[in-house]
Amino acid sequence: MSDPWGTDALDLPAYLARVAPGTLPGAAGASLLNLLHVAHATALPYDNIDLLLDRAPSLYVPDIVDKMCRRPRGGCCHEHNLLFGCVLERLGFHVERLAARVVLGGRGPRPRTHMALRVVADGDAWLCDVGFGEEGFLAPLPLREGEVTGQGSRAFRVRAHRGHQCRVEVNRNGAWECLYLLSLEARPPVDFAVANHYVSTHPRSMLKRELYLQRLSGATRLKLRGHTLTRVTGDHAEESSVGSDALPEVLNAFGIGLREEELAALRRRVTADI
């Protein structure tokens, strides 16, 4: 049987060395799934740098490993979740790739450009998403109607929605908000090739408008959007303005290192936004 996602081409030792050294021994099933999800979400930052530099991210698994595991870089949702899905399949999990319409932070009809994963562990279905760049969750969510999962100062749930979809919601400051509308139909690789092309090239793509970085830990959420750096601890948020001169220091805080030519190009891009 052919391998449509590139799972056979995955360098699993390189991934584990970057993301989860020492995680595998003694863990299995849902426990292992949870450990890996948290490890990936905290080790690998979200970044849309390639899109701002007019480079479409490669969805070829060895390229993603080179970028995110052998360099101090992050990536966008397709890179994160495609990589994570291949890791899980190599470890024996059943994985389906799902497409979603991002609702948070936007208005009007939105295309299905986001990737998330449906994973079966210990007989239960879980929603995994290590690549949502805004208000993402650290650990998998149970794909059970309305079940609330608390994670730090946030709570998450999955609710049924019309048209064979579900709403993935976050509760912050006492109010439920929809992150995205998730289609429960498994999608083939070609659908995400089209989605990746759209978010990388379309002038209305949210990911081409401004620099967006995120790094999670168990206690804090560090975000950069445009020139605003936000550190969220619990329900407390601190904001500061970031200029292009401070870019190397800020990138380092997110665990991101760029080559000299990349940094110069990114500085020109963010300076043009001022």
Side-chain angles (χ1 to χ4, degrees):
M1 183 176 180
S2 63
D3 169 30
W5 295 101
T7 300
D8 291 343
L10 170 71
D11 186 341
L12 184 59
Y15 173 86
L16 293 175
R18 174 79 165 88
V19 170
T23 293
L24 293 183
S31 175
L32 176 59
L33 179 64
N34 186 83
L35 286 170
L36 286 170
H37 197 290
V38 173
H40 184 118
T42 55
L44 297 177
Y46 181 97
D47 86 56
N48 69 331
I49 293 171
D50 284 350
L51 279 68
L52 288 183
L53 300 183
D54 295 322
R55 300 189 307 212
S58 172
L59 300 187
Y60 180 52
V61 169
D63 290 344
I64 299 174
V65 171
D66 283 342
K67 175 184 174 181
M68 296 174 61
C69 299
R70 297 192 176 100
R71 293 185 59 198
R73 280 293 306 275
C76 294
C77 75
H78 300 133
E79 298 166 283
H80 276 282
N81 285 320
L82 197 156
L83 175 61
F84 192 59
C86 289
V87 169
L88 295 178
E89 284 184 331
R90 281 284 290 274
L91 296 175
F93 292 95
H94 176 75
V95 180
E96 293 178 340
R97 283 76 173 177
L98 309 179
R101 304 183 192 275
V102 176
V103 174
L104 189 69
R107 296 179 181 178
R110 311 295 294 281
R112 285 196 181 111
T113 56
H114 182 63
M115 175 190 281
L117 308 173
R118 180 184 183 272
V119 183
V120 176
D122 295 339
D124 293 321
W126 300 86
L127 176 62
C128 293
D129 188 349
V130 291
F132 192 69
E134 177 94 11
E135 296 299 334
F137 39 93
L138 274 173
L141 304 183
L143 273 170
R144 290 190 288 270
E145 169 64 25
E147 183 170 328
V148 176
T149 302
Q151 296 183 11
S153 63
R154 304 289 197 270
F156 299 88
R157 69 183 181 186
V158 179
R159 301 290 306 276
H161 191 71
R162 64 182 180 273
H164 198 56
Q165 298 180 102
C166 60
R167 294 171 57 90
V168 181
E169 299 179 334
V170 60
N171 188 303
R172 51 181 181 175
N173 303 319
W176 287 102
E177 300 177 72
C178 183
L179 298 178
Y180 49 79
L181 297 177
L182 182 69
S183 170
L184 297 176
E185 176 190 358
R187 302 283 174 166
V190 66
D191 284 359
F192 295 108
V194 172
N196 186 54
H197 177 73
Y198 174 89
V199 299
S200 302
T201 63
H202 198 282
R204 294 183 61 186
S205 168
M206 292 180 64
L207 296 181
K208 289 184 65 65
R209 295 178 185 174
E210 58 188 352
L211 182 60
Y212 193 87
L213 311 176
Q214 179 169 264
R215 189 167 190 178
L216 303 178
S217 74
T220 63
R221 184 183 299 264
L222 189 64
K223 300 189 291 185
L224 178 70
R225 188 160 196 168
H227 298 274
T228 302
L229 180 67
T230 306
R231 184 183 298 273
V232 181
T233 304
D235 291 324
H236 178 67
E238 295 181 0
E239 291 188 353
S240 59
S241 181
V242 174
S244 61
D245 289 345
L247 199 53
E249 180 181 352
V250 170
L251 291 172
N252 185 64
F254 285 89
I256 296 172
L258 299 182
R259 301 183 178 100
E260 288 186 9
E261 64 274 13
E262 293 174 324
L263 179 59
L266 184 61
R267 270 182 162 156
R268 290 193 295 271
R269 175 65 171 82
V270 299
T271 300
D273 292 336
I274 298 176

